[in-house]
Amino acid sequence: MIKFRDRKLVVGLEIGTSKVCALVGEVLSDDSIVNIIGVGDCPSRGMDKGGVNDLELVVKCVHRAIDQAEMMADCHISSVYLALSGQHIRCQNEIGMVPVSEEEVTQEDVEIVVHTAKSVRICDEHRILHVIPQEYAIDYQEGIKNPVGLSGLRMQAKVHLITCHNDMAKNIIKATERCGLKVDQLIFSGLAASYAVLTEDERELGVCVVDIGGGTMDITIYTDGALRDTTVIPYAGKVVTSDIAYALGTPPLDAEMLKIKHGCALESMVKKDENVVVPSVGGRPARNVQKQTLAGVIEPRYTELLTLVNDRILQLQEQLRQQGVKYHLAAGVVLTGGAAQIDGLSTCAQQVFHTQVRIAQPLNITGLTDYTEKPYYSTVIGLLHYGKECYLHNKTEIEKHTAVSNWLKRIHSWLRKEF
Ligand SMILES: Nc1ncnc2c1ncn2[C@@H]1O[C@H](COP(=O)(O)OP(=O)(O)O)[C@@H](O)[C@H]1O
Ligand SMILES: [Mg+2]
């Protein structure tokens, strides 16, 4: 059995409202790619809108997903990058300012200014999940992305803080630790999804990513290359299924199957003469229903969900405009997550957003791509990209540390020889 440390492996775990998914990825010499070597996936139980509401059930699901992934990847999983979602996720944009210690800005100055920017009051009972630098200013020069080496007297940093409720974080960590796993880091699901599906150009031009899952829509908005907003809306694919169940009088499990196999988010795309068999409840016989009727239930609900997203975009754009920050989303809207897989969604979404829309699957992966190159896997693949970045960052930190200590050793032995 190949042990974890013999290969550079990272593991992503998403305990979603609909599915629990564990992926094992191998960090390759090409830094931008993750090679997927193991997948474990099972329907989620005990989760609601991103939060744990039955610990025992969640633990069972995590065990199943991890066992499958371990078997496929032939490794032992001891720690994971874990996704977190839920309406408790909040964000705030903050500013920090410090004098530049030497003639030019050093990496240490950058760390200090970011630390100052995050040292602010956050919501009660919340903890900081991410501190993401947006841009720096040195004296009168604004919009700097990498200030190291530049000269100046004072440096300012703008950062985006993402926070989460302490107890929500504790519960999902507890479920994971009960399976004997260590949590490397907790990552906001929407942020992970954006890492998996966006290109650099899209971030620069301005883009809104929506990860549409079962219980939540996780939104991240980028303009001018920086993250400006993160929000969670507590409605998603499950409400569509529930509408179908009510409208057609069919059990929820059948409504889910009908949606996945025959659903369409654009009524006008469906031919009039196509029918589907709809199971009934209470022993009544199944009925033939026009596919168009099914789409007639689905389209209004998707339109409503996406309108909630559009309202958020408009609200943020107004705030950014007032602050003099670029607010255009020239790269439009990118939809991903399981519920973005429905037919006709891009046209339905264009009617809501009046801009270009792309349904996105994860990028920069190799290995088990036949299986995982789907919007459904975006979040968990984003966790692997995040984990890979942490791995590479830690490696350079260690290398830097060793380089410095080697250098100190050399000076030390040189001094000993001198005296
Ligand atoms: N082909 C499909 N068409 C429409 N909805 C789908 C399809 N595949 C999955 N879904 C929906 O996607 C949702 C699950 O998405 P997922 O991203 O796995 O959720 P989560 O991360 O919240 O567990 C469910 O509501 C499911 O009905
Ligand atoms: Mg998800």
Side-chain angles (χ1 to χ4, degrees):
M1 187 138 158
I2 299 163
K3 281 271 170 355
F4 219 66
R5 278 183 191 81
D6 303 334
R7 291 139 101 193
K8 302 164 209 160
L9 300 186
V10 281
V11 180
L13 175 66
E14 182 189 13
I15 309 176
T17 312
S18 296
K19 63 155 186 309
V20 176
C21 180
L23 285 194
V24 183
E26 188 176 8
V27 181
L28 299 178
S29 49
D30 176 352
D31 287 358
S32 58
I33 306 270
V34 177
N35 185 37
I36 293 166
I37 59 167
V39 182
D41 201 326
C42 77
S44 191
R45 301 274 175 270
M47 291 291 290
D48 189 30
K49 296 187 187 305
V52 179
N53 60 7
D54 187 327
L55 192 62
E56 289 308 316
L57 286 179
V58 174
V59 168
K60 275 189 191 149
C61 297
V62 173
H63 260 305
R64 275 179 61 187
I66 292 286
D67 286 350
Q68 274 180 29
E70 280 185 337
M71 219 147 65
M72 202 187 280
D74 192 14
C75 70
H76 169 70
I77 299 175
S78 53
S79 67
V80 294
Y81 287 86
L82 179 63
L84 176 70
S85 180
Q87 217 187 348
H88 57 99
I89 301 282
R90 299 261 189 285
C91 71
Q92 55 199 76
N93 293 315
E94 297 293 341
I95 295 180
M97 175 112 61
V98 291
V100 177
S101 53
E102 302 287 331
E103 278 219 338
E104 55 184 47
V105 175
T106 60
Q107 186 58 38
E108 205 186 351
D109 290 328
V110 175
E111 277 156 28
I112 295 171
V113 76
V114 168
H115 181 81
T116 323
K118 74 172 191 189
S119 308
V120 290
R121 205 183 155 72
I122 58 170
C123 289
D124 281 351
E125 292 167 37
H126 268 230
R127 67 163 84 162
I128 294 180
L129 209 51
H130 301 282
V131 183
I132 302 170
Q134 296 170 318
E135 57 249 325
Y136 302 87
I138 299 175
D139 301 334
Y140 297 103
Q141 178 82 21
E142 292 186 336
I144 300 169
K145 293 289 177 199
N146 180 11
V148 175
L150 298 179
S151 300
L153 293 174
R154 276 190 320 174
M155 174 165 57
Q156 188 198 58
K158 288 187 180 169
V159 301
H160 183 75
L161 298 185
I162 305 178
T163 68
C164 68
H165 196 285
N166 252 325
D167 293 335
M168 298 295 172
K170 271 189 203 158
N171 286 339
I172 203 152
I173 291 175
K174 200 186 290 175
T176 312
E177 288 180 345
R178 288 251 174 117
C179 298
L181 300 166
K182 179 179 152 276
V183 175
D184 290 317
Q185 203 171 327
L186 207 52
I187 297 142
F188 169 50
S189 308
L191 184 70
S194 79
Y195 285 164
V197 301
L198 284 189
T199 64
E200 198 54 49
D201 289 341
E202 284 176 317
R203 278 193 204 102
E204 285 298 326
L205 289 171
V207 69
C208 170
V209 186
V210 193
D211 175 9
I212 319 178
T216 61
M217 292 191 289
D218 299 351
I219 307 171
T220 46
I221 302 177
Y222 292 81
T223 72
D224 203 14
L227 182 59
R228 307 288 170 185
D229 190 48
T230 42
T231 325
V232 175
I233 295 178
Y235 306 103
K238 272 197 172 176
V239 286
V240 182
T241 304
S242 150
D243 283 354
I244 297 170
Y246 276 99
L248 303 184
T250 192
L253 279 179
D254 294 299
E256 177 74 9
M257 285 310 292
L258 282 169
K259 179 180 84 169
I260 290 177
K261 274 197 172 160
H262 306 286
C264 181
L266 198 69
E267 202 180 335
S268 60
M269 216 173 102
V270 182
K271 291 194 190 103
K272 272 209 173 77
D273 53 357
E274 287 182 6
N275 290 327
V276 283
V277 179
V278 177
S280 298
V281 285
R284 297 178 187 86
R287 292 144 296 147
N288 263 332
V289 171
Q290 280 190 330
K291 267 193 187 176
Q292 226 179 31
T293 310
L294 179 63
V297 178
I298 296 172
E299 183 177 341
R301 185 55 100 167
Y302 265 96
T303 303
E304 192 190 354
L305 290 173
L306 297 175
T307 304
L308 295 174
V309 177
N310 197 42
D311 291 347
R312 180 70 196 183
I313 294 176
L314 296 176
Q315 193 189 344
L316 176 80
Q317 284 185 311
E318 182 51 29
Q319 283 171 16
L320 293 179
R321 196 183 61 76
Q322 283 175 11
Q323 293 160 11
V325 177
K326 278 192 189 157
Y327 61 90
H328 285 300
L329 302 184
V333 176
V334 172
L335 303 178
T336 198
Q341 297 183 150
I342 197 155
D343 276 350
L345 185 60
S346 66
T347 314
C348 168
Q350 270 160 31
Q351 290 170 0
V352 174
F353 297 115
H354 304 290
T355 177
Q356 53 171 320
V357 174
R358 169 168 92 83
I359 309 296
Q361 58 187 37
L363 304 169
N364 298 324
I365 49 171
T366 56
L368 302 168
T369 47
D370 282 355
Y371 200 72
T372 55
E373 227 165 30
K374 295 181 191 119
Y376 186 80
Y377 288 103
S378 294
T379 303
V380 68
I381 287 178
L383 296 176
L384 294 184
H385 283 297
Y386 195 100
K388 177 201 68 186
E389 290 301 323
C390 291
Y391 172 84
L392 295 172
H393 180 76
N394 285 345
K395 207 174 98 186
T396 36
E397 285 296 305
I398 291 167
E399 276 165 7
K400 260 197 247 164
H401 190 75
T402 345
V404 171
S405 56
N406 284 345
W407 181 68
L408 287 174
K409 266 187 213 152
R410 247 189 286 158
I411 294 185
H412 188 69
S413 67
W414 178 71
L415 285 174
R416 276 214 315 230
K417 272 184 219 151
E418 285 290 297
F419 299 101

